[in-house]
Amino acid sequence: QVQLVESGGGLVQAGGSLRLSCVASRRTFSSYTMGWFRQAPGKEREFVAAMIWSGGRRYYADSVKGRFTISRDNAKNTVYLQMDSLKPEDTAVYYCAASQNYLSDVLTPGNYDYWGQGTQVTVSS
């Protein structure tokens, strides 16, 4: 079992930045896939970004490409989501997710094994 705990959400004005953190309860293996998803009220959970823990490929939703960056700190068992140039449409609960496998399909929430509790991000106009 892996427990994931997110933090770093909050209220920010449009154009501002936030950095979300996701701490894993134990060391994750290089084959793990780590993802960030978000869910706005009345909408389905949607993919935001993902990476293989070993630090290889990174994947981004078109809506956040060029504004968000996913990264990780091995020593801290932590994955980050740096969010810049935030827009009101980025408002959502953001979730960290982990798969024990090297995923070819990082977009589908059902492919992930573990989820955090979520952190609220609100962007005001």
Side-chain angles (χ1 to χ4, degrees):
Q1 279 283 359
V2 176
Q3 292 183 327
L4 305 173
V5 179
E6 304 101 332
S7 62
L11 173 64
V12 64
Q13 288 188 331
S17 298
L18 284 174
R19 188 177 77 159
L20 305 184
S21 299
C22 171
V23 181
S25 61
R26 66 174 180 84
R27 181 182 176 84
T28 52
F29 299 104
S30 61
S31 62
Y32 271 52
T33 302
M34 304 299 297
W36 286 97
F37 289 77
R38 66 187 181 187
Q39 189 166 17
K43 295 188 177 181
E44 292 187 354
R45 192 166 297 190
E46 66 172 359
F47 169 78
V48 175
M51 69 178 296
I52 307 303
W53 186 267
S54 62
R57 298 190 64 178
R58 288 168 167 79
Y59 307 84
Y60 296 97
D62 288 342
S63 59
V64 306
K65 202 171 292 183
R67 300 188 298 121
F68 290 11
T69 304
I70 187 170
S71 63
R72 59 76 174 110
D73 185 325
N74 284 336
K76 296 181 179 180
N77 290 343
T78 301
V79 174
Y80 302 101
L81 185 67
Q82 177 67 41
M83 305 186 296
D84 299 319
S85 302
L86 282 162
K87 304 175 181 180
E89 51 263 44
D90 295 318
T91 295
V93 177
Y94 283 70
Y95 297 90
C96 176
S99 168
Q100 300 176 81
N101 301 308
Y102 189 119
L103 293 178
S104 55
D105 174 8
V106 300
L107 305 182
T108 303
N111 290 339
Y112 291 81
D113 303 302
Y114 307 107
W115 291 85
Q117 82 288 351
T119 185
Q120 176 71 46
V121 171
T122 303
V123 184
S124 63
S125 56

